[in-house]
């Protein structure tokens, strides 16, 4: 069990971000390559957005808690990602993508998670899945509610169908306990309040803005009051990682080929 403090950075054209994975505290833990939280009610922190940029070899999951983004890509897809919605994008062999705020003021609060693709899927065709609020089950237990984006909880299943199986849940606490059998890699990001994380051999308190990272320790028990977390879990992907920004392959030779493809106009072929 390890606590990772988020790192304040700017990305895109100058968006203020709390970088939880992908920074100096935790570069990556395969299959999770990056986890960013963008959260501010000051438009200067987000108005520059994320202009057109390439992706290859991964899936990107954007979860909009509050506010709205517009998105478009080099294949002619475009639309709005609104409050409570999720966009699960498989970059695969390559796509150019843009995300810009669809608002001039107000609170923008959301997340982007990068999930690695196995070697045999890195050059798959790109695809999208846009999940509406009503698509995602909201499971309520005593003192706990679980918004299920992907994976299973009790008899419920999230609507996302990722290439590499990932559990992704937004859990809100009101004096209750969330229990879960752990996989190989488990992330507990506290977005509100304070929680207590317990396993068979450990117990720790975690504050908002920090990540509790656990490898397989059996059963996890999380308690909170007026607090909330993202719970993200998957089996380890035991493959080499070579990355250059939003291009993630298995070797640096493959990364350089992607850069050459981009420069030569062959990125999406």
């Amino acid at each position: 069990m390890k606590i990772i403090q988020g790192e304040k950075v700017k990305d895109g054209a100058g968006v203020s971000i709390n970088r939880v994975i992908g920074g100096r505290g935790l570069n990556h833990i395969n299959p999770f390559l990056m986890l960013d939280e963008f959260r501010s009610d000051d438009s200067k922190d987000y108005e520059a957005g994320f202009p057109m940029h390439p992706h290859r070899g991964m899936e990107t999951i954007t979860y909009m808690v509050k506010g709205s983004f517009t998105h478009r890509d080099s294949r002619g897809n475009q639309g709005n990602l609104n409050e409570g919605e999720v966009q699960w994008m498989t970059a695969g062999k390559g796509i150019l993508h843009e995300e810009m705020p669809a608002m001039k003021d107000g609170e923008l609060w959301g997340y982007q998670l990068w999930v690695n693709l196995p070697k045999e899927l890195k050059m798959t065709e790109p695809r999208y899945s846009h999940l509406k609020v009503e698509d995602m089950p909201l499971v309520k237990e005593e003192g706990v509610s679980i918004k299920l984006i992907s994976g299973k909880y009790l008899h419920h299943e999230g609507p996302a169908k990722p290439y590499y199986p990932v559990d992704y849940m937004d859990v809100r606490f009101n004096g209750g306990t969330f229990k879960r059998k752990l996989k190989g890699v488990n992330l507990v990001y506290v977005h509100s309040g304070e929680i207590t994380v317990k396993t068979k051999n450990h117990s720790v308190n975690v504050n908002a803005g920090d990540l509790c990272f656990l490898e397989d320790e059996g059963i996890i028990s999380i308690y909170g009051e007026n607090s909330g977390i993202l719970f993200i879990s998957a089996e380890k992907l035991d493959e080499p990682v070579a990355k250059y920004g939003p291009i993630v392959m298995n070797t640096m030779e493959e990364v350089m080929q992607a850069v050459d493809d981009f420069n030569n106009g062959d990125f999406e072929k």
Side-chain angles (χ1 to χ4, degrees):
M1 189 184 296
K2 184 177 181 181
I3 306 300
I4 307 294
Q5 292 185 332
E7 180 181 355
K8 303 301 180 185
V9 301
K10 288 186 181 292
D11 206 339
V15 178
S16 296
I17 286 170
N18 185 34
R19 178 148 292 164
V20 186
I21 300 176
R24 288 170 292 185
L26 181 62
N27 182 266
H28 69 270
I29 177 67
N30 213 0
F32 302 119
L33 304 166
M34 191 188 79
L35 176 61
D36 282 350
E37 179 184 55
F38 41 93
R39 186 175 186 178
S40 177
D41 57 7
D42 183 350
S43 62
K44 293 179 181 178
D45 287 336
Y46 58 75
E47 61 187 0
F50 302 91
M52 196 69 74
H53 56 281
H55 285 280
R56 177 179 280 185
M58 69 169 84
E59 296 190 287
T60 69
I61 301 95
T62 306
Y63 172 30
M64 190 64 59
V65 182
K66 293 183 179 179
S68 180
F69 263 11
T70 61
H71 66 88
R72 66 184 182 95
D73 67 30
S74 52
R75 296 183 173 228
N77 300 300
Q78 60 182 352
N80 283 354
L81 186 64
N82 299 315
E83 184 168 318
E85 297 180 346
V86 172
Q87 181 193 78
W88 202 296
M89 184 184 81
T90 303
K93 67 180 184 181
I95 197 166
L96 277 67
H97 184 67
E98 177 182 84
E99 296 165 302
M100 303 295 288
M103 45 198 282
K104 297 186 181 299
D105 53 35
E107 183 178 5
L108 183 69
W109 174 15
Y111 299 90
Q112 187 162 102
L113 173 70
W114 289 3
V115 180
N116 203 2
L117 283 171
K119 179 179 177 64
E120 66 271 14
L121 293 173
K122 284 193 173 293
M123 298 299 285
T124 194
E125 286 292 328
R127 70 176 186 180
Y128 281 96
S129 179
H130 189 138
L131 309 179
K132 302 284 190 179
V133 174
E134 58 269 22
D135 297 331
M136 294 171 277
L138 185 63
V139 184
K140 294 186 177 182
E141 299 186 291
E142 185 176 353
V144 183
S145 66
I146 300 102
K147 180 174 183 174
L148 192 52
I149 297 169
S150 68
K152 296 180 179 179
Y153 184 78
L154 299 178
H155 303 297
H156 304 272
E157 185 171 358
K161 305 298 181 187
Y163 275 116
Y164 195 80
V166 173
D167 295 341
Y168 194 157
M169 308 173 195
D170 186 348
V171 184
R172 308 295 176 102
F173 297 91
N174 186 21
T177 300
F178 172 77
K179 293 185 178 181
R180 187 75 174 169
K181 186 178 186 301
L182 296 177
K183 295 186 176 181
V185 181
N186 308 274
L187 311 175
V188 179
Y189 177 69
V190 184
H191 59 63
S192 308
E194 180 185 26
I195 61 164
T196 301
V197 180
K198 293 183 179 180
T199 62
K200 181 179 179 180
N201 299 313
H202 301 93
S203 177
V204 65
N205 293 333
V206 190
N207 296 311
D210 292 343
L211 174 79
C212 180
F213 160 61
L214 306 96
E215 296 184 273
D216 190 359
E217 290 196 38
I219 304 293
I220 190 175
S221 176
I222 305 173
Y223 173 82
E225 294 185 21
N226 300 316
S227 53
I229 64 168
L230 298 183
F231 179 79
I232 304 169
S233 179
E235 297 299 343
K236 289 183 179 179
L237 180 56
D238 291 322
E239 293 184 2
V241 174
K243 59 180 181 175
Y244 178 66
I247 297 171
V248 182
M249 304 301 287
N250 295 111
T251 68
M252 284 308 299
E253 289 79 9
E254 292 170 331
V255 170
M256 295 309 299
Q257 182 62 57
V259 173
D260 288 344
D261 290 345
F262 178 77
N263 291 332
N264 295 333
D266 297 325
F267 192 70
E268 299 177 78
K269 295 181 179 179

